[in-house]
């Protein structure tokens, strides 16, 4: 239906915006590595205060989109912020931050389903969420090995 397409588009917009705010937040707290040198903070294009303002604008944009969804999806979307803001610290507390990144990045699968159906069906979302986490483990492990020399300093 037209409503499902609208909700799907809204969820895509939230995920695009939240991907950007995750990067901004991560760049504020993590060591810069070779592959991230062109990002706004690492390159010096943004000062930390400008970055915080930009992060705030991204969060407000995400909130504006999130408020268009049903109540269950609003709570689910807002709860993802716990993962988003704690992810940058995971490299300091665990040897496998990729697993936490998988939980964080793939929250959108849960949100998309909830936005359309108004609830979470474990028979659908558990395999979907698990597959997304596994994919994230693969690609982020590759990135972690590429950055090993830079992050061990």
């Amino acid at each position: 239906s037209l409503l499902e397409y609208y909700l799907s588009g809204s969820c895509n917009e939230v995920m695009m915006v939240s991907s950007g705010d995750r990067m901004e937040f991560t760049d504020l707290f993590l060591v810069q590595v070779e592959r991230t040198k062109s990002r706004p903070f690492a390159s010096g294009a943004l000062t930390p205060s400008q970055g915080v303002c930009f992060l705030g604008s991204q969060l407000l944009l995400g909130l504006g989109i999130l408020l268009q969804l049903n109540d269950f999806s609003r709570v689910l979307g807002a709860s993802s912020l716990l993962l988003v803001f704690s992810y940058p610290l995971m490299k300091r507390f665990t040897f496998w931050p990729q697993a936490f990144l998988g939980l964080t990045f793939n929250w959108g699968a849960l949100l998309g389903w909830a936005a359309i159906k108004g609830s979470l069906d474990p028979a659908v979302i558990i395999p979907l969420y698990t597959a997304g986490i596994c994919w994230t483990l693969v690609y982020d492990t590759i990135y972690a090995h590429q950055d090993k020399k830079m992050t061990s300093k």
Side-chain angles (χ1 to χ4, degrees), residues 104-124:
T104 307
F105 270 19
N106 294 287
W107 199 262
L110 306 178
L111 183 60
W113 182 269
I116 293 173
K117 299 294 184 179
S119 65
L120 294 176
D121 179 359
V124 176

Side-chain angles (χ1 to χ4, degrees), residues 92-113:
R92 291 164 175 79
F93 297 112
T94 180
F95 292 109
W96 214 22
Q98 301 91 317
F100 201 82
L101 180 67
L103 295 172
T104 307
F105 270 19
N106 294 287
W107 199 262
L110 306 178
L111 183 60
W113 182 269

Side-chain angles (χ1 to χ4, degrees), residues 26 30 83-91 97 100-101 104 140:
T26 299
L30 292 181
L83 294 170
V84 170
F85 290 126
S86 57
Y87 167 69
L89 307 173
M90 286 303 117
K91 282 189 177 182
F100 201 82
L101 180 67
T104 307
D140 201 58

Side-chain angles (χ1 to χ4, degrees), residues 6-78:
Y6 172 75
L7 292 173
S8 178
S10 294
C11 288
N12 286 334
E13 290 169 357
V14 167
M15 291 305 110
M16 285 189 292
V17 168
S18 68
S19 255
D21 62 32
R22 279 183 223 133
M23 281 194 285
E24 295 296 326
F25 188 77
T26 299
D27 287 351
L28 280 170
F29 292 100
L30 292 181
V31 175
Q32 299 302 317
V33 294
E34 188 66 34
R35 71 177 162 79
T36 64
K37 280 187 174 180
S38 64
R39 289 185 182 172
F41 290 123
S43 69
L46 285 179
T47 65
S49 61
Q50 290 171 321
V52 169
C53 288
F54 184 60
L55 174 63
S57 66
Q58 288 178 307
L59 289 170
L60 284 174
L61 181 59
L63 176 64
I65 297 167
L66 194 63
L67 290 176
Q68 298 176 42
L69 304 178
N70 60 52
D71 290 339
F72 182 77
S73 299
R74 290 176 187 168
V75 172
L76 189 65

